[in-house]
């Protein structure tokens, strides 16, 4: 039962597989137009035209062929970084059918977000939308825009974003994090080396972390455990993991191919993608049916507390009991949250264990703060997290260095000026997170792992104006990730319990090589040594 690679059988899959969600980062070579510089001025200081923005080539199809020929898709995040170094803080990108303007400086990012309006719009993942349309399923907030999106989002915020909601689901996350550490302690004691009680074990923890992320998500969203820490996880759970992997790996090529044509001819790539989503939706449908069964059972016993028996019943239970969203919309939104909430927490946790392991002084500093806070909180997870700002800083620092998504996008709703260039309304503008997080123009010592830089209002390590727009891994504003509070607390709680239970070290302190598929992840998962404290 391990996280595995899914093979795309479509003939174009080999090279299209590594296309990321965005079209940013085309190859930089000696033919690039433009040069490095900031806020270029036109004649007489006037705003320069859109066409004058530096770009990487006018033909999207030529750019696409270059990428294919040089097999550079898997390093899109590095190509973005290289392109900014060559062209400056803004450039145009045309890749296949996708066009965008890419930016990196917090001052420009702030200008973009300040003009986004009541209904911010980002790039739609059309293959996902097409699946919903062909299956006659409702779309969740991830795939909606306009007033319809806003109405649904405000209702969801009450159950996943507000402080009262966090207080309700935090104990469920804490329960899973504690169980993970108990499982790891047993594994270290059983398989590790050294004298009893002080054993250590060196492993690739990614399969266990992936199981943790799925178990935690199910507990919060569906209000039930699925037993992934047992020696023989259920077939249903394994199918869900397979489906999420299949969905993630088949999405990128479909972004740049005519997926509706592939649908009509029954191409294997589209069939794999649609089948994966069908399994994911079936998983949600089964959980909804179980909720109804629990409701019927509680009513049969004469309970007046509803399906939850007076206890928190998860996001699904809260939405079902309140009845403000239709059943189809509830199903669509919990399905999207489940599908998007596993890899996006499991992968950053791998990077976090690695960075803490190769930075023992930082690890000890965070542990001491966590230990003091935990003791003072008396076992209350919310109080413990509030008293350990370095823990939150650790997550922000990991997502600065290793952002899960490579970009945050907005489609401009009105004409905008960025870097003294005119950006017409309707333009897709992308904030490129990997080069932003590693830019010496934005961060002091950007290659250094320093959770402290985010403490005290993030004043340490600030080198430019617009410091409010330097940490954007979960997006920004009304359109930020709907599962942000779940993910942040999930990662912090697991790290807290790991640091209370283990000392971490690494077998190699060399930088991790990363690759970009739908998300940024290690080429090879790091091996971590867990030593019981």
């Amino acid at each position: 039962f391990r996280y595995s690679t899914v093979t795309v059988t479509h003939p174009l899959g080999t090279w299209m597989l590594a296309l990321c969600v965005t079209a940013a980062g085309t190859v930089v070579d000696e033919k690039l137009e433009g040069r490095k510089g900031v806020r270029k001025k036109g004649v007489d200081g006037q705003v320069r035209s859109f066409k004058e923005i530096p770009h990487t080539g006018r033909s999207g199809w030529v750019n696409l062929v270059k990428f294919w020929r040089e097999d550079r898709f898997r390093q899109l995040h590095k190509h973005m970084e290289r392109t900014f170094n060559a062209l400056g803080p803004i450039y145009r990108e045309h890749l296949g059918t996708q066009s965008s303007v890419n930016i990196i400086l917090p001052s420009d990012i702030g200008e973009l977000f300040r003009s986004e309006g009541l209904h911010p719009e980002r790039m739609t993942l059309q293959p996902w939308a097409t699946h919903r349309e062909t299956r006659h399923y409702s779309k969740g907030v991830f795939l909606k825009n306009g007033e319809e999106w806003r109405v649904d989002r405000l209702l969801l915020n009450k159950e996943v974003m507000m402080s009262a909601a966090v207080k309700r689901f935090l104990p469920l996350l804490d329960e899973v994090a504690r169980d993970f550490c108990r499982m790891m302690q047993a594994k270290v004691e059983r398989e590790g080396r050294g004298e009893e009680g002080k054993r250590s074990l060196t492993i690739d923890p990614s399969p266990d972390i992936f199981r943790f992320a799925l178990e935690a998500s199910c507990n919060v969203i569906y209000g039930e455990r699925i037993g992934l820490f047992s020696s023989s996880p259920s077939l249903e759970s394994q199918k869900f993991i397979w489906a999420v992997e299949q969905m993630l790996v088949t999405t990128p090529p479909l972004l740049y191919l005519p997926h509706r044509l592939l649908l009509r001819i029954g191409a294997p790539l589209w069939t794999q993608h649609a089948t994966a989503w069908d399994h994911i939706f079936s998983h949600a449908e089964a959980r909804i049916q179980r909720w109804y069964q629990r409701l019927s059972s509680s009513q049969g016993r004469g309970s007046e507390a509803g399906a939850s028996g007076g206890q928190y019943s998860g996001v699904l239970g809260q939405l079902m009991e309140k009845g403000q969203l239709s059943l189809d919309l509830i199903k669509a939104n919990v399905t999207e949250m489940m599908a998007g909430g596993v890899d996006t927490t499991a992968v950053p946790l791998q990077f976090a264990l690695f960075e803490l392991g190769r930075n023992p002084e930082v690890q000890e500093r965070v542990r001491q703060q966590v230990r003091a806070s935990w003791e003072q909180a008396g076992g209350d997870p919310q109080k413990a997290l509030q008293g350990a700002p370095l823990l939150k800083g650790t997550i922000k620092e990991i997502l600065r260095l290793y952002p899960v998504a490579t970009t945050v996008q907005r489609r401009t709703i009105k004409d905008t000026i960025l870097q003294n260039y005119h950006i017409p309304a309707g333009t897709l503008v992308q904030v490129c997170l990997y080069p932003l997080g590693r830019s010496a123009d934005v961060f002091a010592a950007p290659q250094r792992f320093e959770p402290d830089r985010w403490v005290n209002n993030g004043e340490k390590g600030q080198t430019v104006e617009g410091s409010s727009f330097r940490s954007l891994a979960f997006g920004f504003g009304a359109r930020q990730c709907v599962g942000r509070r779940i993910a942040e607390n999930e990662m912090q709680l697991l790290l807290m319990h790991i640091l209370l239970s283990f000392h971490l070290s690494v077998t190699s302190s060399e930088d991790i090589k990363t690759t970009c598929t739908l998300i940024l992840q290690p080429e090879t998962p790091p091996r971590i040594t867990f030593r019981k404290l």
Side-chain angles (χ1 to χ4, degrees), residues 301-333:
R301 294 192 303 268
S303 170
E304 296 180 358
S308 61
Q311 298 179 345
Y312 178 62
S313 56
V315 175
L316 171 63
Q318 293 290 111
L319 292 172
M320 296 286 281
E321 289 175 12
K322 291 184 177 179
Q324 294 175 298
L325 285 173
S326 69
L327 180 59
D328 285 343
L329 288 177
I330 291 172
K331 180 179 176 181
N333 282 293

Side-chain angles (χ1 to χ4, degrees), residues 60 98 224 239 242 305 451:
Q98 299 284 353
E224 63 176 341
K239 282 185 176 180
W242 167 85

Side-chain angles (χ1 to χ4, degrees), residues 34-302:
R35 57 183 178 81
K36 189 171 182 178
V38 179
R39 300 196 181 280
K40 300 178 181 180
K41 299 291 183 181
V43 178
D44 299 325
Q46 295 181 356
V47 173
R48 302 183 68 151
S49 70
F50 181 80
K51 291 183 178 180
E52 292 181 273
I53 298 174
H55 62 85
T56 58
R58 299 183 187 281
S59 171
W61 298 111
V62 170
N63 290 338
L64 198 61
V65 169
K66 285 183 180 179
F67 262 59
W68 168 48
R69 185 184 300 153
E70 298 170 15
D71 192 27
R72 299 198 177 198
F73 292 106
R74 282 185 280 266
Q75 293 295 306
L76 270 177
H77 54 303
K78 295 286 189 180
H79 287 291
M80 294 178 199
E81 187 174 46
R82 191 177 303 173
T83 306
F84 281 115
N85 288 337
L87 298 185
I90 185 170
Y91 68 91
R92 283 192 293 131
E93 183 74 84
H94 193 189
L95 183 63
T97 59
Q98 299 284 353
S99 296
S100 66
V101 170
N102 301 328
I103 59 176
I104 188 175
L105 291 182
S107 55
D108 294 327
I109 299 167
E111 186 68 29
L112 174 68
F113 287 142
R114 278 189 288 269
S115 62
E116 65 182 8
L118 271 179
H119 307 123
E121 183 179 341
R122 60 189 176 198
M123 186 175 73
T124 299
L125 294 182
Q126 285 299 333
W128 296 16
T130 299
H131 171 266
R132 309 302 189 270
E133 292 160 8
T134 57
R135 297 296 192 265
H136 304 291
Y137 289 159
S138 295
K139 295 175 183 176
V141 292
F142 189 83
L143 294 173
K144 285 185 175 180
N145 288 302
E147 183 61 26
E148 186 183 23
W149 159 81
R150 185 173 177 81
V151 170
D152 291 357
R153 178 63 193 251
L154 290 175
L155 292 173
L156 282 175
N157 283 351
K158 296 177 182 178
E159 306 306 331
V160 295
M161 293 292 286
M162 301 302 186
S163 57
V166 174
K167 188 175 182 179
R168 288 194 294 266
F169 66 65
L170 210 59
L172 278 67
L173 293 175
D174 188 57
E175 172 192 316
V176 181
R178 287 171 183 254
D179 286 352
F180 175 90
C181 284
R182 292 190 191 101
M183 178 199 69
M184 286 299 299
Q185 286 173 329
K187 180 179 286 192
V188 171
E189 207 51 51
R190 184 176 62 250
E191 303 173 17
R193 297 181 177 181
E195 59 182 278
E196 189 174 347
K198 295 183 179 179
R199 297 184 191 277
S200 65
L201 178 66
T202 302
I203 58 170
D204 164 15
S206 58
D208 292 321
I209 293 174
F210 192 87
R211 283 198 286 262
F212 160 78
L214 179 53
E215 185 82 12
S217 293
C218 281
N219 205 21
V220 169
I221 294 175
Y222 297 136
E224 63 176 341
R225 298 289 296 270
I226 57 176
L228 287 177
F229 295 156
S230 67
S231 57
S232 54
S234 69
L235 180 61
E236 179 189 20
S237 299
Q238 294 183 58
K239 282 185 176 180
F240 180 81
I241 289 175
W242 167 85
V244 172
E245 293 174 350
Q246 187 91 345
M247 178 273 292
L248 289 174
V249 84
T250 53
T251 296
L254 288 170
L255 292 174
Y256 300 92
L257 293 172
H259 55 274
R260 289 191 175 274
L261 174 61
L262 299 181
L263 166 64
R264 289 195 190 96
I265 65 175
L269 180 63
W270 173 258
T271 302
Q272 290 173 1
H273 184 75
T275 301
W277 270 120
D278 290 343
H279 276 295
I280 295 169
F281 269 86
S282 295
H283 189 264
E285 180 65 34
R287 290 313 184 278
I288 291 173
Q289 293 304 317
R290 289 182 192 181
W291 185 88
Y292 277 121
Q293 291 169 7
R294 293 198 298 269
L295 177 62
S296 298
S297 177
S298 65
Q299 289 176 340
R301 294 192 303 268

Side-chain angles (χ1 to χ4, degrees), residues 346-360:
V347 171
L349 283 167
Q350 293 179 48
F351 288 123
L353 295 181
F354 170 76
E355 288 292 352
L356 289 168
R358 76 165 176 172
N359 292 277

